[in-house]
Amino acid sequence: MQVPAHFGYDRATSIDHALRLLARHGDQARVIAGGHSLIPMMKLRLAEPEALIDINGIDELRGITVSGDELLIGALTRHADLLSSAVVGEHFPVLHDAERVIADPVVRNFGTVGGSLCQADPSEDLSAAFVALGATGVIRGAAGSRTVPLREFHLGPYETAVAPDELLVEVRVPIRPGGSSAYTKVERRAGDWAVAAAGAAVWLGPDGAITDAGIGLAAVGAEHFTAPEAEEFLRGRAGDDAALVEAGKIAAQHCDPQADQRGPADYKRHLAGELTTRALRRAVARASGQEA
Amino acid sequence: MMITVTVNGERHSHDVEPRLLLVHFLRDVVGLTGTHWGCDTSNCGACVVWLDDTPVKSCTALAVMADGRTVRTVEGLERDGELDPVQRGFMECHGLQCGFCTPGMMMTSRWLLDRNPDPSEEEIREALSGQLCRCTGYENIVRSVRWAAENPADDSTEASQEVSPS
Ligand SMILES: Cc1cc2nc3c(=O)[nH]c(=O)nc-3n(C[C@H](O)[C@H](O)[C@H](O)COP(=O)(O)OP(=O)(O)OC[C@H]3O[C@@H](n4cnc5c(N)ncnc54)[C@H](O)[C@@H]3O)c2cc1C
Ligand code: FES
Ligand code: FES
């Protein structure tokens, strides 16, 4: 039987209340959102916080809204809510593609967007999807708010820019015309973490050329979950298949997969390239109106 | 910590350690052993119960997180002595062999049918995809859920309503 070590438990009623509780407990406290990464870690005693601060009652952390040319996603938004949101699907199909293959429907009822990003598991899918979209995280601490591009958010495996006394409160995704996006993942069985996964976003000019591209990679040791060399290669090019294949090759060259029970490193590298190309093809097809 | 959880319409107040998992609270403190405890790693779904209106793997939730909320377990599926159509479907279609996965399968199936009264085979498989059965090969589970869809209770909206605490 797996039982967590002893801890104290506090329920925060507002963001400010949560920040006060975090300040009181110092770095011995951990925020709990869906708990679907933290509780398993505590059961295995890989995490032994002295205090848990439950943020599930904080309504201001919830919700998906469009404000100006940005989509705002509260940190406490559940996977299931992101998946069922029409406005998310309309602007960012990559997020719906990714959510369909994150865990299973029951886990998606509880796991949150903020928890996923803050857990910073190297195989985490939403990080790759948000990185492709050029999203930004809003972090609140006692001194106020700051924004961090998700490309600078992940400092390493299980390590983020959020300090122990801070909260991730929101993710902001810029809505830019002329673009679309897609996510592809290979998993061993339904609901499993990725062997490898790739997200792509492209923006096309009036002539169909790629004006901008974003690529996110999960589970293949890509720094900050991204492939900047492949993105740079695509900018200004016609979005023909040869270019998308070459971009996949470049992404594969620059990642650093590790062999584990999900597969050997060379297989994962192969997947990184192939999945990048497939995600790009789908994003281009969607952006040019050839595919839903 | 003192918590009050309404389980299947009945209020239960207990002093528990914050580290107590919801599955152990239900089985060992409340005494409802219909909820099974399997993998302990959020993979098998034997422990699925509803927290408020949503299925959760109760081996991966803390009892204190259910304080002030309602929980529905497999014991709460039947109404006034009448088995839920899902329970009858599992009987009619041989939806279980050892029965270990069954409580969780049925809780998620009821949730699916409340939201989608006429699910396709694919939708049933997707809804149950986070739950493992080592006996049936899933075919009969899918048939059982289809049976329940085709044979709803007389007042099928009743099934989705929690008995409210006094
Ligand atoms: C069976 C299973 C399969 C899964 N498969 C996948 C998969 O295929 N792909 C995938 O991407 N994920 C997968 N996951 C992970 C799932 O998405 C989790 O829900 C997610 O990783 C964590 O979200 P949470 O809300 O449960 O976070 P918690 O477990 O509550 O928290 C995780 C960490 O983030 C911190 N934290 C949470 N919220 C905040 C905040 N707002 N500010 C600061 N810190 C915060 C916590 O302190 C903790 O350190 C799976 C999980 C399970 C159980
Ligand atoms: S015991 Fe909870 S998912 Fe297996
Ligand atoms: S009936 Fe035995 S595990 Fe499903």
Short mmCIF file of all heavy atoms in Angstrom, two decimals, chain A residues 1-9 11 32-36 39-40 43 45 52 54 56 104-110 189-190, chain B residues 1 17-19 21 24 37 40-43 48 51 54-57 59-62 64-65 67 108 111 126-127 129-131:
data_model
loop_
_atom_site.label_atom_id
_atom_site.label_comp_id
_atom_site.label_asym_id
_atom_site.label_seq_id
_atom_site.Cartn_x
_atom_site.Cartn_y
_atom_site.Cartn_z
N MET A 1 0.85 -1.20 0.00
CA MET A 1 0.00 0.00 0.00
C MET A 1 0.88 1.24 0.00
O MET A 1 1.81 1.34 0.77
CB MET A 1 -0.89 -0.03 1.25
CG MET A 1 -1.81 1.11 1.37
SD MET A 1 -3.22 0.69 2.42
CE MET A 1 -2.94 1.74 3.80
N GLN A 2 0.57 2.16 -0.91
CA GLN A 2 1.36 3.38 -1.00
C GLN A 2 0.67 4.48 -0.21
O GLN A 2 -0.46 4.84 -0.54
CB GLN A 2 1.48 3.81 -2.46
CG GLN A 2 2.17 2.80 -3.35
CD GLN A 2 2.17 3.26 -4.79
OE1 GLN A 2 1.67 4.33 -5.12
NE2 GLN A 2 2.74 2.46 -5.66
N VAL A 3 1.35 4.99 0.79
CA VAL A 3 0.76 6.04 1.63
C VAL A 3 1.71 7.23 1.66
O VAL A 3 2.90 7.05 1.91
CB VAL A 3 0.53 5.52 3.07
CG1 VAL A 3 -0.12 6.59 3.92
CG2 VAL A 3 -0.32 4.26 3.04
N PRO A 4 1.20 8.43 1.41
CA PRO A 4 2.08 9.60 1.50
C PRO A 4 2.58 9.80 2.94
O PRO A 4 1.96 9.32 3.89
CB PRO A 4 1.17 10.77 1.10
CG PRO A 4 -0.02 10.16 0.44
CD PRO A 4 -0.17 8.79 1.02
N ALA A 5 3.71 10.50 3.08
CA ALA A 5 4.18 10.90 4.42
C ALA A 5 3.20 11.91 4.99
O ALA A 5 2.36 12.45 4.28
CB ALA A 5 5.58 11.50 4.30
N HIS A 6 3.29 12.16 6.28
CA HIS A 6 2.39 13.13 6.91
C HIS A 6 2.58 14.53 6.32
O HIS A 6 3.70 14.92 5.98
CB HIS A 6 2.68 13.22 8.41
CG HIS A 6 2.17 12.04 9.15
ND1 HIS A 6 0.83 11.86 9.43
CD2 HIS A 6 2.81 10.96 9.68
CE1 HIS A 6 0.67 10.72 10.08
NE2 HIS A 6 1.86 10.16 10.25
N PHE A 7 1.50 15.28 6.24
CA PHE A 7 1.59 16.68 5.82
C PHE A 7 0.41 17.43 6.40
O PHE A 7 -0.61 16.83 6.78
CB PHE A 7 1.61 16.78 4.28
CG PHE A 7 0.43 16.13 3.59
CD1 PHE A 7 -0.78 16.81 3.44
CD2 PHE A 7 0.52 14.83 3.12
CE1 PHE A 7 -1.86 16.19 2.82
CE2 PHE A 7 -0.56 14.21 2.50
CZ PHE A 7 -1.75 14.89 2.36
N GLY A 8 0.55 18.74 6.44
CA GLY A 8 -0.58 19.59 6.83
C GLY A 8 -1.35 19.98 5.59
O GLY A 8 -0.81 19.92 4.47
N TYR A 9 -2.60 20.37 5.75
CA TYR A 9 -3.45 20.64 4.59
C TYR A 9 -4.21 21.93 4.81
O TYR A 9 -4.86 22.10 5.84
CB TYR A 9 -4.41 19.48 4.40
CG TYR A 9 -5.47 19.67 3.33
CD1 TYR A 9 -5.20 19.41 1.99
CD2 TYR A 9 -6.75 20.09 3.68
CE1 TYR A 9 -6.18 19.57 1.02
CE2 TYR A 9 -7.74 20.25 2.72
CZ TYR A 9 -7.45 19.99 1.39
OH TYR A 9 -8.41 20.14 0.45
N ARG A 11 -6.74 24.94 2.75
CA ARG A 11 -7.51 25.20 1.54
C ARG A 11 -7.49 26.70 1.28
O ARG A 11 -7.94 27.48 2.11
CB ARG A 11 -8.93 24.72 1.78
CG ARG A 11 -9.63 24.32 0.53
CD ARG A 11 -10.96 23.68 0.85
NE ARG A 11 -10.82 22.31 1.30
CZ ARG A 11 -11.69 21.70 2.09
NH1 ARG A 11 -12.71 22.34 2.57
NH2 ARG A 11 -11.51 20.44 2.41
N ILE A 32 -1.51 22.03 -4.46
CA ILE A 32 -2.14 20.86 -5.09
C ILE A 32 -3.32 21.34 -5.93
O ILE A 32 -4.19 22.07 -5.46
CB ILE A 32 -2.54 19.77 -4.07
CG1 ILE A 32 -3.10 18.54 -4.81
CG2 ILE A 32 -3.55 20.27 -3.02
CD1 ILE A 32 -3.12 17.28 -3.97
N ALA A 33 -3.29 20.94 -7.22
CA ALA A 33 -4.40 21.26 -8.13
C ALA A 33 -5.18 19.96 -8.34
O ALA A 33 -5.87 19.49 -7.44
CB ALA A 33 -3.85 21.85 -9.43
N GLY A 34 -5.06 19.33 -9.51
CA GLY A 34 -5.75 18.05 -9.72
C GLY A 34 -5.17 16.93 -8.87
O GLY A 34 -5.83 15.95 -8.57
N GLY A 35 -3.92 17.08 -8.49
CA GLY A 35 -3.26 16.09 -7.65
C GLY A 35 -2.85 14.83 -8.40
O GLY A 35 -2.31 13.90 -7.81
N HIS A 36 -3.06 14.80 -9.71
CA HIS A 36 -2.83 13.55 -10.43
C HIS A 36 -1.37 13.31 -10.80
O HIS A 36 -1.02 12.25 -11.30
CB HIS A 36 -3.76 13.44 -11.65
CG HIS A 36 -5.09 12.87 -11.25
ND1 HIS A 36 -5.81 13.37 -10.20
CD2 HIS A 36 -5.80 11.83 -11.74
CE1 HIS A 36 -6.93 12.65 -10.06
NE2 HIS A 36 -6.94 11.72 -10.99
N ILE A 39 0.02 13.58 -6.11
CA ILE A 39 -0.34 12.50 -5.17
C ILE A 39 0.44 11.22 -5.49
O ILE A 39 1.01 10.62 -4.58
CB ILE A 39 -1.88 12.29 -5.12
CG1 ILE A 39 -2.54 13.52 -4.49
CG2 ILE A 39 -2.23 11.04 -4.31
CD1 ILE A 39 -4.07 13.51 -4.51
N PRO A 40 0.51 10.80 -6.78
CA PRO A 40 1.36 9.63 -7.05
C PRO A 40 2.81 9.82 -6.59
O PRO A 40 3.42 8.90 -6.05
CB PRO A 40 1.29 9.50 -8.58
CG PRO A 40 -0.04 10.08 -8.94
CD PRO A 40 -0.25 11.22 -7.97
N LYS A 43 2.84 9.41 -2.88
CA LYS A 43 2.65 8.01 -2.50
C LYS A 43 3.96 7.24 -2.61
O LYS A 43 4.25 6.35 -1.83
CB LYS A 43 1.56 7.37 -3.36
CG LYS A 43 0.16 7.85 -2.99
CD LYS A 43 -0.87 7.51 -4.04
CE LYS A 43 -1.34 6.07 -3.96
NZ LYS A 43 -2.49 5.84 -4.87
N ARG A 45 6.76 8.61 -2.19
CA ARG A 45 7.70 9.41 -1.36
C ARG A 45 8.79 10.07 -2.21
O ARG A 45 9.89 10.32 -1.73
CB ARG A 45 8.34 8.55 -0.26
CG ARG A 45 7.33 7.75 0.57
CD ARG A 45 6.71 8.57 1.67
NE ARG A 45 5.62 7.87 2.35
CZ ARG A 45 5.60 7.58 3.63
NH1 ARG A 45 6.59 7.93 4.42
NH2 ARG A 45 4.56 6.98 4.16
N LEU A 52 0.33 20.96 2.17
CA LEU A 52 -0.30 21.07 0.87
C LEU A 52 -1.27 22.24 0.91
O LEU A 52 -2.03 22.39 1.86
CB LEU A 52 -1.11 19.81 0.53
CG LEU A 52 -0.36 18.59 0.03
CD1 LEU A 52 -1.37 17.56 -0.48
CD2 LEU A 52 0.62 18.95 -1.07
N ASP A 54 -4.33 23.57 -1.08
CA ASP A 54 -5.32 23.15 -2.08
C ASP A 54 -5.88 24.39 -2.76
O ASP A 54 -6.48 25.26 -2.11
CB ASP A 54 -6.43 22.36 -1.37
CG ASP A 54 -7.42 21.74 -2.35
OD1 ASP A 54 -7.45 22.16 -3.52
OD2 ASP A 54 -8.18 20.86 -1.90
N ASN A 56 -8.06 24.22 -5.34
CA ASN A 56 -9.25 23.86 -6.12
C ASN A 56 -10.46 24.76 -5.87
O ASN A 56 -11.36 24.81 -6.69
CB ASN A 56 -9.63 22.40 -5.86
CG ASN A 56 -8.71 21.46 -6.62
OD1 ASN A 56 -8.87 21.28 -7.81
ND2 ASN A 56 -7.72 20.92 -5.93
N ASP A 104 -6.55 9.64 -19.84
CA ASP A 104 -7.84 9.05 -20.20
C ASP A 104 -8.93 9.99 -19.68
O ASP A 104 -8.65 10.91 -18.91
CB ASP A 104 -7.95 7.66 -19.59
CG ASP A 104 -7.81 7.68 -18.07
OD1 ASP A 104 -8.72 8.20 -17.39
OD2 ASP A 104 -6.79 7.19 -17.55
N PRO A 105 -10.19 9.75 -20.08
CA PRO A 105 -11.24 10.72 -19.71
C PRO A 105 -11.38 10.95 -18.21
O PRO A 105 -11.68 12.07 -17.78
CB PRO A 105 -12.51 10.08 -20.29
CG PRO A 105 -12.04 9.24 -21.42
CD PRO A 105 -10.69 8.72 -21.01
N VAL A 106 -11.17 9.92 -17.40
CA VAL A 106 -11.35 10.10 -15.95
C VAL A 106 -10.21 10.97 -15.39
O VAL A 106 -10.45 11.89 -14.60
CB VAL A 106 -11.45 8.74 -15.24
CG1 VAL A 106 -11.54 8.92 -13.74
CG2 VAL A 106 -12.67 7.97 -15.75
N VAL A 107 -8.99 10.71 -15.81
CA VAL A 107 -7.86 11.54 -15.36
C VAL A 107 -8.04 12.97 -15.88
O VAL A 107 -7.77 13.95 -15.16
CB VAL A 107 -6.52 10.93 -15.85
CG1 VAL A 107 -5.37 11.91 -15.64
CG2 VAL A 107 -6.24 9.62 -15.11
N ARG A 108 -8.54 13.11 -17.09
CA ARG A 108 -8.72 14.46 -17.66
C ARG A 108 -9.76 15.28 -16.90
O ARG A 108 -9.79 16.50 -17.00
CB ARG A 108 -9.10 14.36 -19.15
CG ARG A 108 -7.97 13.86 -20.02
CD ARG A 108 -8.17 14.24 -21.48
NE ARG A 108 -9.30 13.59 -22.09
CZ ARG A 108 -9.24 12.48 -22.85
NH1 ARG A 108 -8.08 11.88 -23.05
NH2 ARG A 108 -10.33 11.98 -23.40
N ASN A 109 -10.63 14.60 -16.16
CA ASN A 109 -11.60 15.33 -15.34
C ASN A 109 -10.93 16.09 -14.19
O ASN A 109 -11.52 17.02 -13.65
CB ASN A 109 -12.60 14.36 -14.72
CG ASN A 109 -13.64 13.89 -15.71
OD1 ASN A 109 -13.89 14.56 -16.70
ND2 ASN A 109 -14.23 12.73 -15.44
N PHE A 110 -9.75 15.65 -13.78
CA PHE A 110 -9.14 16.26 -12.60
C PHE A 110 -7.83 16.97 -12.89
O PHE A 110 -7.56 18.02 -12.32
CB PHE A 110 -8.99 15.21 -11.49
CG PHE A 110 -10.30 15.03 -10.79
CD1 PHE A 110 -11.29 14.25 -11.35
CD2 PHE A 110 -10.59 15.75 -9.65
CE1 PHE A 110 -12.55 14.14 -10.78
CE2 PHE A 110 -11.85 15.66 -9.06
CZ PHE A 110 -12.83 14.86 -9.63
N ARG A 189 0.06 2.52 -25.69
CA ARG A 189 -1.32 2.07 -25.55
C ARG A 189 -2.16 3.29 -25.19
O ARG A 189 -1.61 4.34 -24.81
CB ARG A 189 -1.43 1.01 -24.45
CG ARG A 189 -0.88 1.49 -23.13
CD ARG A 189 -0.96 0.46 -22.02
NE ARG A 189 -0.03 0.80 -20.95
CZ ARG A 189 -0.24 1.74 -20.04
NH1 ARG A 189 -1.35 2.43 -20.05
NH2 ARG A 189 0.67 2.00 -19.13
N ALA A 190 -3.48 3.16 -25.31
CA ALA A 190 -4.36 4.30 -25.05
C ALA A 190 -4.08 4.88 -23.68
O ALA A 190 -3.96 4.16 -22.70
CB ALA A 190 -5.82 3.84 -25.13
N MET B 1 -8.00 15.97 10.80
CA MET B 1 -8.87 17.05 10.31
C MET B 1 -10.30 16.51 10.20
O MET B 1 -10.51 15.42 9.69
CB MET B 1 -8.34 17.51 8.93
CG MET B 1 -9.17 18.56 8.27
SD MET B 1 -8.40 19.04 6.68
CE MET B 1 -9.78 19.90 5.95
N GLU B 17 -6.67 11.80 8.87
CA GLU B 17 -5.37 12.38 8.53
C GLU B 17 -5.47 12.95 7.11
O GLU B 17 -6.07 12.32 6.24
CB GLU B 17 -4.29 11.29 8.51
CG GLU B 17 -3.84 10.85 9.88
CD GLU B 17 -2.69 9.84 9.76
OE1 GLU B 17 -2.36 9.41 8.63
OE2 GLU B 17 -2.12 9.51 10.80
N PRO B 18 -4.84 14.10 6.85
CA PRO B 18 -4.89 14.64 5.49
C PRO B 18 -4.36 13.67 4.45
O PRO B 18 -4.74 13.72 3.29
CB PRO B 18 -4.00 15.90 5.57
CG PRO B 18 -4.06 16.31 7.00
CD PRO B 18 -4.18 15.03 7.79
N ARG B 19 -3.47 12.76 4.86
CA ARG B 19 -2.88 11.86 3.86
C ARG B 19 -3.78 10.68 3.51
O ARG B 19 -3.41 9.86 2.67
CB ARG B 19 -1.53 11.36 4.34
CG ARG B 19 -1.60 10.49 5.59
CD ARG B 19 -0.21 9.99 5.89
NE ARG B 19 -0.18 9.20 7.11
CZ ARG B 19 0.85 8.43 7.42
NH1 ARG B 19 1.90 8.37 6.64
NH2 ARG B 19 0.85 7.74 8.54
N LEU B 21 -6.24 8.54 1.63
CA LEU B 21 -6.75 8.58 0.27
C LEU B 21 -8.26 8.33 0.28
O LEU B 21 -8.77 7.62 1.13
CB LEU B 21 -6.04 7.53 -0.60
CG LEU B 21 -4.53 7.73 -0.71
CD1 LEU B 21 -3.87 6.52 -1.34
CD2 LEU B 21 -4.20 8.99 -1.50
N HIS B 24 -9.48 4.73 0.55
CA HIS B 24 -9.41 4.09 1.87
C HIS B 24 -10.45 4.69 2.81
O HIS B 24 -10.98 4.00 3.68
CB HIS B 24 -8.00 4.23 2.44
CG HIS B 24 -6.96 3.57 1.58
ND1 HIS B 24 -7.10 2.27 1.13
CD2 HIS B 24 -5.82 4.03 1.04
CE1 HIS B 24 -6.06 1.96 0.37
NE2 HIS B 24 -5.27 3.02 0.30
N TRP B 37 -9.92 -1.43 -4.85
CA TRP B 37 -8.63 -0.78 -4.78
C TRP B 37 -7.65 -1.72 -5.47
O TRP B 37 -7.42 -2.84 -5.01
CB TRP B 37 -8.30 -0.55 -3.31
CG TRP B 37 -6.93 -0.11 -3.03
CD1 TRP B 37 -6.25 0.93 -3.60
CD2 TRP B 37 -6.05 -0.70 -2.07
NE1 TRP B 37 -5.01 1.02 -3.06
CE2 TRP B 37 -4.87 0.04 -2.12
CE3 TRP B 37 -6.15 -1.75 -1.18
CZ2 TRP B 37 -3.77 -0.27 -1.31
CZ3 TRP B 37 -5.08 -2.05 -0.37
CH2 TRP B 37 -3.90 -1.32 -0.44
N ASP B 40 -3.37 1.07 -7.47
CA ASP B 40 -2.86 2.11 -6.58
C ASP B 40 -2.04 3.15 -7.35
O ASP B 40 -1.35 3.96 -6.74
CB ASP B 40 -2.00 1.49 -5.46
CG ASP B 40 -2.13 2.26 -4.14
OD1 ASP B 40 -2.87 3.26 -4.10
OD2 ASP B 40 -1.46 1.87 -3.16
N THR B 41 -2.07 3.13 -8.66
CA THR B 41 -1.23 4.05 -9.44
C THR B 41 -2.02 4.82 -10.50
O THR B 41 -1.46 5.24 -11.51
CB THR B 41 -0.09 3.29 -10.16
OG1 THR B 41 -0.71 2.29 -11.00
CG2 THR B 41 0.86 2.63 -9.20
N SER B 42 -3.32 4.95 -10.32
CA SER B 42 -4.19 5.71 -11.23
C SER B 42 -4.26 5.15 -12.64
O SER B 42 -4.56 5.85 -13.58
CB SER B 42 -3.85 7.20 -11.24
OG SER B 42 -2.55 7.42 -11.72
N ASN B 43 -3.97 3.87 -12.79
CA ASN B 43 -4.02 3.27 -14.12
C ASN B 43 -5.22 2.35 -14.38
O ASN B 43 -5.68 2.25 -15.50
CB ASN B 43 -2.73 2.48 -14.39
CG ASN B 43 -1.58 3.41 -14.73
OD1 ASN B 43 -1.59 4.04 -15.77
ND2 ASN B 43 -0.63 3.52 -13.83
N VAL B 48 -12.79 3.90 -9.32
CA VAL B 48 -13.52 5.09 -9.77
C VAL B 48 -14.83 5.28 -8.99
O VAL B 48 -15.63 4.36 -8.86
CB VAL B 48 -13.82 5.03 -11.28
CG1 VAL B 48 -14.82 6.12 -11.70
CG2 VAL B 48 -12.54 5.18 -12.09
N LEU B 51 -17.01 12.18 -7.67
CA LEU B 51 -16.85 13.28 -6.71
C LEU B 51 -17.70 14.41 -7.26
O LEU B 51 -17.45 14.90 -8.37
CB LEU B 51 -15.37 13.67 -6.62
CG LEU B 51 -15.00 14.73 -5.58
CD1 LEU B 51 -15.51 14.38 -4.19
CD2 LEU B 51 -13.49 14.92 -5.54
N THR B 54 -18.61 13.98 -11.11
CA THR B 54 -17.54 13.61 -12.03
C THR B 54 -16.78 12.38 -11.55
O THR B 54 -16.35 12.34 -10.40
CB THR B 54 -16.56 14.79 -12.15
OG1 THR B 54 -17.31 15.99 -12.22
CG2 THR B 54 -15.73 14.68 -13.39
N PRO B 55 -16.58 11.40 -12.42
CA PRO B 55 -15.78 10.24 -12.02
C PRO B 55 -14.33 10.62 -11.73
O PRO B 55 -13.74 11.42 -12.46
CB PRO B 55 -15.83 9.31 -13.24
CG PRO B 55 -16.92 9.81 -14.11
CD PRO B 55 -17.09 11.26 -13.80
N VAL B 56 -13.79 10.03 -10.66
CA VAL B 56 -12.39 10.26 -10.31
C VAL B 56 -11.80 8.94 -9.84
O VAL B 56 -12.51 8.09 -9.30
CB VAL B 56 -12.26 11.33 -9.18
CG1 VAL B 56 -12.92 10.87 -7.89
CG2 VAL B 56 -10.80 11.68 -8.91
N LYS B 57 -10.51 8.77 -10.07
CA LYS B 57 -9.81 7.59 -9.55
C LYS B 57 -9.51 7.89 -8.08
O LYS B 57 -8.66 8.73 -7.78
CB LYS B 57 -8.56 7.34 -10.38
CG LYS B 57 -8.93 6.92 -11.81
CD LYS B 57 -7.75 6.64 -12.72
CE LYS B 57 -8.27 6.14 -14.08
NZ LYS B 57 -7.19 5.90 -15.05
N CYS B 59 -8.04 6.44 -5.75
CA CYS B 59 -6.71 6.18 -5.18
C CYS B 59 -5.80 7.37 -5.40
O CYS B 59 -4.68 7.41 -4.90
CB CYS B 59 -6.09 4.94 -5.81
SG CYS B 59 -5.61 5.17 -7.55
N THR B 60 -6.27 8.36 -6.18
CA THR B 60 -5.45 9.51 -6.51
C THR B 60 -6.16 10.80 -6.10
O THR B 60 -6.02 11.84 -6.72
CB THR B 60 -5.08 9.47 -8.02
OG1 THR B 60 -4.57 8.17 -8.31
CG2 THR B 60 -4.02 10.48 -8.40
N ALA B 61 -6.98 10.69 -5.06
CA ALA B 61 -7.62 11.87 -4.48
C ALA B 61 -7.52 11.73 -2.96
O ALA B 61 -7.53 10.61 -2.44
CB ALA B 61 -9.08 11.95 -4.90
N LEU B 62 -7.41 12.84 -2.28
CA LEU B 62 -7.35 12.82 -0.82
C LEU B 62 -8.77 12.93 -0.27
O LEU B 62 -9.60 13.67 -0.81
CB LEU B 62 -6.52 13.99 -0.30
CG LEU B 62 -5.06 14.05 -0.79
CD1 LEU B 62 -4.43 15.39 -0.41
CD2 LEU B 62 -4.26 12.88 -0.21
N VAL B 64 -9.64 14.51 2.27
CA VAL B 64 -9.89 15.90 2.68
C VAL B 64 -10.34 16.77 1.49
O VAL B 64 -11.02 17.78 1.68
CB VAL B 64 -8.66 16.57 3.35
CG1 VAL B 64 -8.43 15.97 4.73
CG2 VAL B 64 -7.41 16.43 2.49
N MET B 65 -9.98 16.35 0.28
CA MET B 65 -10.42 17.12 -0.90
C MET B 65 -11.92 16.91 -1.18
O MET B 65 -12.52 17.63 -1.96
CB MET B 65 -9.59 16.74 -2.14
CG MET B 65 -8.13 17.13 -2.01
SD MET B 65 -7.10 16.46 -3.34
CE MET B 65 -7.20 17.78 -4.55
N ASP B 67 -14.11 16.97 1.32
CA ASP B 67 -14.83 17.60 2.43
C ASP B 67 -15.88 18.57 1.89
O ASP B 67 -15.59 19.39 1.01
CB ASP B 67 -13.81 18.36 3.30
CG ASP B 67 -14.47 19.01 4.50
OD1 ASP B 67 -15.52 18.51 4.95
OD2 ASP B 67 -13.92 20.03 4.98
N THR B 108 -18.30 4.82 -14.35
CA THR B 108 -17.99 5.63 -15.52
C THR B 108 -19.07 5.46 -16.59
O THR B 108 -19.42 6.42 -17.29
CB THR B 108 -16.60 5.27 -16.08
OG1 THR B 108 -15.65 5.38 -15.01
CG2 THR B 108 -16.17 6.23 -17.19
N TRP B 111 -22.02 7.65 -15.82
CA TRP B 111 -21.67 9.05 -16.13
C TRP B 111 -21.77 9.30 -17.63
O TRP B 111 -22.34 10.28 -18.08
CB TRP B 111 -20.24 9.31 -15.62
CG TRP B 111 -19.67 10.65 -15.93
CD1 TRP B 111 -20.04 11.85 -15.37
CD2 TRP B 111 -18.60 10.95 -16.84
NE1 TRP B 111 -19.25 12.87 -15.88
CE2 TRP B 111 -18.37 12.34 -16.78
CE3 TRP B 111 -17.81 10.17 -17.68
CZ2 TRP B 111 -17.38 12.96 -17.55
CZ3 TRP B 111 -16.84 10.78 -18.44
CH2 TRP B 111 -16.63 12.17 -18.37
N GLU B 126 -13.98 4.70 -25.64
CA GLU B 126 -13.21 5.90 -25.28
C GLU B 126 -13.47 6.27 -23.81
O GLU B 126 -12.55 6.52 -23.05
CB GLU B 126 -13.57 7.04 -26.23
CG GLU B 126 -13.27 8.46 -25.76
CD GLU B 126 -11.79 8.79 -25.67
OE1 GLU B 126 -10.96 8.02 -26.17
OE2 GLU B 126 -11.47 9.84 -25.05
N ALA B 127 -14.75 6.28 -23.41
CA ALA B 127 -15.08 6.67 -22.04
C ALA B 127 -14.43 5.73 -21.03
O ALA B 127 -14.02 6.16 -19.94
CB ALA B 127 -16.60 6.68 -21.85
N SER B 129 -11.66 4.03 -21.47
CA SER B 129 -10.28 3.71 -21.87
C SER B 129 -9.27 3.84 -20.74
O SER B 129 -8.16 3.33 -20.84
CB SER B 129 -9.86 4.57 -23.07
OG SER B 129 -9.88 5.94 -22.71
N GLY B 130 -9.64 4.48 -19.65
CA GLY B 130 -8.72 4.56 -18.50
C GLY B 130 -8.98 3.46 -17.49
O GLY B 130 -8.54 3.57 -16.35
N GLN B 131 -9.68 2.42 -17.90
CA GLN B 131 -10.02 1.36 -16.96
C GLN B 131 -9.68 0.00 -17.55
O GLN B 131 -9.93 -0.24 -18.72
CB GLN B 131 -11.50 1.50 -16.58
CG GLN B 131 -11.64 2.73 -15.70
CD GLN B 131 -13.04 3.26 -15.54
OE1 GLN B 131 -13.34 4.35 -15.99
NE2 GLN B 131 -13.87 2.48 -14.90
#
